[in-house]
Amino acid sequence: ASHIADVAAYGDYAFLTVDREPTCERTGAYVINISDPKAPFEVESAFIETTAGNYAGEGPCVIEIDNEDFSGALFIHPNEIYAKADAPDPTGPRQRGGINIWDVSDPENAQLLAAHAGDYTDPDDEPVDQALAAYYTCAWTDSSTSRTYVGFVTDKPTTDIVIMEITDPRNPVMVNALDLRVAPFHVTGDPSRGLTSVFGHAVDVRRVGDRYVMNATYW
């Protein structure tokens, strides 16, 4: 379907994030039973719904963690924000954007653990009441510390990549924000070719030897 943005999977289930233009009703993630890959079907009662005015776009992820705060599987999706004039409840609560974290240990009965976790600052680093829109999550656990993190891209014009600790997924904590256009990264485009807009697109983290290395792509 044209409104499917992306997919993440856990065991016999796939989570298909939903982007419905222009009305943006019932956005979130379909839960699809894929135990028989030749005959997948939607578990209609299990639809994972995000906040009105948001949509769960590209780059969801699933991670299993086991620590003193939580043991099970987490489904994490970014929240992009509809700017359409016909978006529902345009004057409603402004707690939007960021990421949502769900307990999907039972994929047919997802439980929301945290909503709209993210960067609540403006370009001048002043606090605001709405999290920045988020894109492309990637979660990992540091095997040496047993602490779990999630990185994602935001639409902040001065800082693109946020890293939050989610060892306790009910209480995510922001630990870093990176702008790859400044030192020490200095990512840039070639203005002579019209490449004057540079912004983050996706992140991926993998263990390489004893280090955890983030690959960050830019447009």
Side-chain angles (χ1 to χ4, degrees), residues 131-206:
L132 297 170
Y135 318 87
Y136 276 98
T137 64
C138 179
W140 71 98
T141 298
D142 187 321
S143 61
S144 64
T145 64
S146 297
R147 308 199 74 80
T148 300
Y149 302 89
V150 59
F152 53 94
V153 177
T154 74
D155 64 351
K156 190 172 184 177
T158 56
T159 303
D160 283 317
I161 297 171
V162 165
I163 299 174
M164 302 193 77
E165 182 175 344
I166 58 169
T167 306
D168 178 358
R170 297 175 180 85
N171 296 287
V173 178
M174 188 163 163
V175 297
N176 209 342
L178 305 173
D179 185 347
L180 299 193
R181 289 164 291 189
V182 302
F185 308 107
H186 296 297
V187 175
T188 186
D190 181 356
S192 69
R193 301 178 61 192
L195 302 178
T196 57
S197 177
V198 178
F199 55 92
H201 181 251
V203 294
D204 186 55
V205 175
R206 302 292 176 92

Side-chain angles (χ1 to χ4, degrees), residues 4-7 17 55-60 77-78 80 134-137 201 219:
I4 300 301
D6 211 337
V7 62
T17 52
Y55 60 96
E58 296 176 306
H77 69 75
E80 299 187 49
Y135 318 87
Y136 276 98
T137 64
H201 181 251
W219 280 9

Side-chain angles (χ1 to χ4, degrees), residues 18 20 22-28 47-56 77 79-84 86-97 100 102 112 115-116 130:
V18 183
R20 282 191 177 90
T23 58
C24 64
E25 82 283 356
R26 197 171 182 255
T27 63
F47 185 83
I48 297 172
E49 190 164 5
T50 192
T51 309
N54 292 248
Y55 60 96
H77 69 75
N79 288 298
E80 299 187 49
I81 300 170
Y82 279 109
K84 303 296 184 183
D86 54 355
D89 194 16
T91 61
R94 288 177 52 81
Q95 191 181 32
R96 299 169 179 164
N100 285 10
W102 300 79
L112 182 63
H116 307 293
Q130 175 169 306

